[in-house]
Amino acid sequence: MKHMKVGGLMTDEVVSALPASSFREVAKMLAEHDISGVPVVDEDDHVVGVVSESDLLARHELIARELMNTPAVTIHAEETVADAARLMVRRGVERLPVVDEEERLVGIVTRRDLLCVYLRPDSEIRRRIREDVLTDALDLPEGAVDVHVLDGVVTLGGRIRRRSQALMLLGLAESVDGVVAVVDRLSFHKDDTRLTSSTRTPHDISW
């Protein structure tokens, strides 16, 4: 499965502050660049914190070192967009500084950037499901499953051999970048996800 990486969405021309940047300097950066927060970096470009609009409004310390939230919540460029979204929700942040292998600032990604993934064309989503999921991951014959996509909503129809395949297909389709929801209209020949009493052996019985 190919997933869009943070490095493909991030803004690489990052406005950043220094620990010694003044309150006024940080406020001016936010206003001039129409942004809601800036990473704070040291002399080696390592991210040491983040200052947001709310930090400026809530406190009136004189320099960024006193204003910033630490430790900074960052993400690596090679991580997926889904990873970034989960991290933002879990930590309650609007933006993530993107760092390289040496933890140096290389970009920034915002919630707005992540939402762009859901503007992926329906035709591209359908192609990714057919190629990455049906063919590469599940090795299903061509035409075994009907794939329809409208406004990011995927409808899967058709009859396949086992229920376990259907469940796997649904899960993989949901994880494709740009998919908003998946409608299940699949059927299967055999339910292999539960062990019936007729197939139990004496060794299966709990005493």
Side-chain angles (χ1 to χ4, degrees):
M1 292 285 292
K2 299 176 183 177
H3 293 289
M4 191 174 293
K5 302 296 180 63
V6 169
L9 281 180
M10 70 180 189
T11 299
D12 54 13
E13 295 182 4
V14 190
V15 178
S16 61
L18 297 173
S21 297
S22 70
F23 181 103
R24 183 179 292 273
E25 287 172 332
V26 175
K28 186 177 181 181
M29 288 178 192
L30 300 186
E32 286 185 346
H33 297 278
D34 192 25
I35 53 179
S36 59
V38 291
V40 181
V41 298
D42 63 17
E43 61 274 9
D44 297 316
D45 276 342
H46 295 139
V47 181
V48 295
V50 174
V51 178
S52 67
E53 288 175 328
S54 58
D55 296 323
L56 294 177
L57 294 172
R59 300 195 296 272
H60 295 284
E61 284 81 355
L62 296 179
I63 60 174
R65 182 185 293 108
E66 299 167 340
L67 289 162
M68 67 186 185
N69 286 300
T70 60
V73 182
T74 62
I75 195 165
H76 288 90
E78 288 304 308
E79 295 190 61
T80 68
V81 169
D83 292 331
R86 283 191 290 267
L87 183 58
M88 283 186 181
V89 171
R90 188 169 69 247
R91 300 299 295 271
V93 296
E94 298 288 335
R95 71 201 64 76
L96 292 171
V98 184
V99 296
D100 62 14
E101 296 82 1
E102 298 180 0
E103 304 300 320
R104 291 177 302 195
L105 182 68
V106 294
I108 197 160
V109 65
T110 66
R111 290 193 179 194
R112 183 178 297 178
D113 296 328
L114 300 187
L115 287 175
C116 290
V117 173
Y118 293 97
L119 300 179
R120 198 174 196 181
D122 290 340
S123 58
E124 174 64 12
I125 294 173
R126 183 174 185 271
R127 185 173 70 85
R128 290 268 63 89
I129 291 175
R130 292 178 64 87
E131 293 179 5
D132 295 348
V133 177
L134 299 179
T135 302
D136 295 346
L138 297 179
D139 195 27
L140 291 173
E142 186 174 352
V145 175
D146 296 322
V147 182
H148 298 281
V149 186
L150 180 61
D151 294 333
V153 178
V154 177
T155 301
L156 299 174
R159 189 171 181 84
I160 55 182
R161 183 172 298 177
R162 300 188 304 274
R163 187 186 182 204
S164 61
Q165 284 182 310
L167 294 174
M168 186 177 297
L169 170 54
L170 293 170
L172 291 173
E174 286 178 345
S175 71
V176 170
D177 293 331
V179 171
V180 175
V182 176
V183 178
D184 177 14
R185 291 183 179 168
L186 295 167
S187 60
F188 46 86
H189 294 284
K190 179 182 179 181
D191 185 352
D192 60 340
T193 62
R194 60 183 180 180
L195 193 64
T196 62
S197 57
S198 61
T199 61
R200 287 181 180 269
T201 68
H203 299 289
D204 295 322
I205 300 174
S206 298
W207 297 97

